[in-house]
Amino acid sequence: MVRFRAFFQIGALLFYNSNYLFSYEFCPVPGLNCYACPIAGGACPLGSLQHFMVLRRIPFFLLGFFLLIGALVGRMVCGWICPIGWLQELMYKVKVKKIRVNFRPFRYLKYLVLLSLVLIIPFLSGEPWFSKLCFVGTIQAGIPLIVMDQSLRDLIGTLFYIKLGITGITLAAFFFIKRPFCRFLCPLGATYSLFNPISYARLEVAGSCFKCDKCREVCPVDIKVYEEPNSPECIRCLECTSCAHVNLRLGDKKKEKTKEAEQYA
Amino acid sequence: MKVYRLLLLLGLIFLITGIYLNENWNIFLNARMLCFSCVGIE
């Protein structure tokens, strides 16, 4: 199943951007996808959340949406059905010198972004500030719309150039660092990450694990799975389950592989 | 009761409340109107 993860990611990208076939913009999509894009089929969960903050209303539907996904699979959305996650993985495959960033406080930046740019600042200022700075909007909507529409080109101001700068820096980081946006900045990932330790689907490491660090090598977010299998950073891509000592656990049931791992020990 | 079951129940209640309040049709569609923020045009 894990080897087909890219197909899930491509499928999600096509499904989120299916306005030419069908539209469901009354409903948010689970991954990050800009709904300013002319072909976006569903609503961006972060854009919608900011809209509720601007209106100063409780987002019941979104809260329910996040709770259901988070309680079932935690941050699995990031690993399997987020087009931006897929983009980061693709760009990291380019052969350039890689940088390993393990400075722990960086992890907390995404919670700061969630609290400030997505919740508090839109609530106080009445402007969706995360969307105004979001690089996904620049890639999916800003650049294509401005290339296609002359009237929009005349409206370009400082904000657009700031967005272009943020986009350039973010995209450049994708070549050198493993999933930097997911790990350090994504407020959607921050929301789902809160559910990782308590969700229905969790990871489990067998006691016989000898900490060879193979799981860390294959991990797209560079975590030591044997130290914290249900870390808020884990995107549940299940790449680490290629090791016999790491298993997916659904609720109270264990997969058969745990026994296999114990046999190896 | 497992925590995830409690959260699932709570999520379902919120989801139904959102649908009951017509959030999908009244708000999500309007949200798209604000999408010039994403494009980067003031």
Side-chain angles (χ1 to χ4, degrees), chain A residues 72 200-202 248-255, chain B residues 4:
Chain A
L72 276 177
Y200 173 71
R202 271 172 290 175
L248 178 68
R249 179 180 165 169
L250 298 175
D252 300 323
K253 289 177 191 166
K254 289 178 190 178
K255 275 198 164 181
Chain B
Y4 68 83

Side-chain angles (χ1 to χ4, degrees), chain A residues 85-149:
Chain A
W86 182 54
L87 176 72
Q88 289 174 82
E89 284 180 16
L90 276 186
M91 289 176 72
Y92 189 74
K93 282 182 182 164
V94 176
K95 285 186 179 167
V96 287
K97 197 171 183 208
K98 305 298 177 190
I99 304 168
R100 189 167 248 179
V101 183
N102 290 320
F103 188 51
R104 210 175 164 89
F106 280 174
R107 291 179 174 191
Y108 303 111
L109 278 176
K110 57 181 174 291
Y111 301 104
L112 190 69
V113 173
L114 173 67
L115 278 176
S116 58
L117 291 175
V118 178
L119 299 176
I120 297 171
I121 296 176
F123 183 83
L124 296 176
S125 69
E127 296 273 355
W129 269 98
F130 180 78
S131 292
K132 278 175 177 274
L133 301 173
C134 178
F135 82 100
V136 184
T138 318
I139 300 172
Q140 280 193 279
I143 296 171
L145 285 174
I146 276 160
V147 168
M148 288 189 296
D149 194 333

Side-chain angles (χ1 to χ4, degrees), chain A residues 25-26 35-37 40 48 51 58 60-61 64-65 67-68 128 131-132 137 142 152 155 160 163 198 200 252, chain B residues 2-4 7-8 11 14-15 18-19 21 23-25 27-29 31-32 34-42:
Chain A
E25 56 194 24
F26 53 86
Y35 61 174
C37 175
S48 309
H51 187 59
I58 302 169
F60 285 106
F61 188 87
F65 186 77
L67 276 169
L68 281 179
S131 292
K132 278 175 177 274
L152 287 179
L155 297 172
F160 185 75
K163 272 179 84 98
I198 46 167
Y200 173 71
D252 300 323
Chain B
K2 296 271 179 201
V3 182
Y4 68 83
L7 291 178
L8 280 175
F14 278 141
L15 210 68
I19 294 168
L21 295 174
E23 279 182 355
N24 300 59
W25 297 106
I27 298 170
F28 285 96
L29 290 179
R32 194 160 182 162
L34 291 179
C35 66
F36 273 142
S37 304
C38 312
V39 178
I41 293 169
E42 285 168 291

Side-chain angles (χ1 to χ4, degrees), chain A residues 16-52:
Chain A
Y16 296 170
N17 296 290
S18 57
N19 200 23
Y20 47 89
L21 289 175
F22 54 91
S23 176
Y24 52 98
E25 56 194 24
F26 53 86
C27 183
V29 295
L32 198 54
N33 191 72
C34 185
Y35 61 174
C37 175
I39 58 165
C44 166
L46 290 176
S48 309
L49 188 56
Q50 287 172 90
H51 187 59
F52 276 90

Side-chain angles (χ1 to χ4, degrees), chain A residues 120-191:
Chain A
I120 297 171
I121 296 176
F123 183 83
L124 296 176
S125 69
E127 296 273 355
W129 269 98
F130 180 78
S131 292
K132 278 175 177 274
L133 301 173
C134 178
F135 82 100
V136 184
T138 318
I139 300 172
Q140 280 193 279
I143 296 171
L145 285 174
I146 276 160
V147 168
M148 288 189 296
D149 194 333
Q150 171 67 47
S151 59
L152 287 179
R153 243 174 279 165
D154 301 332
L155 297 172
I156 289 177
T158 319
L159 179 65
F160 185 75
Y161 293 111
I162 293 173
K163 272 179 84 98
L164 270 186
I166 293 172
T167 308
I169 295 168
T170 317
L171 289 179
F174 292 174
F175 288 111
F176 305 101
I177 307 168
K178 277 184 174 179
R179 282 207 183 214
F181 184 70
C182 303
R183 291 163 66 196
F184 309 132
L185 292 171
C186 182
L188 190 59
T191 313

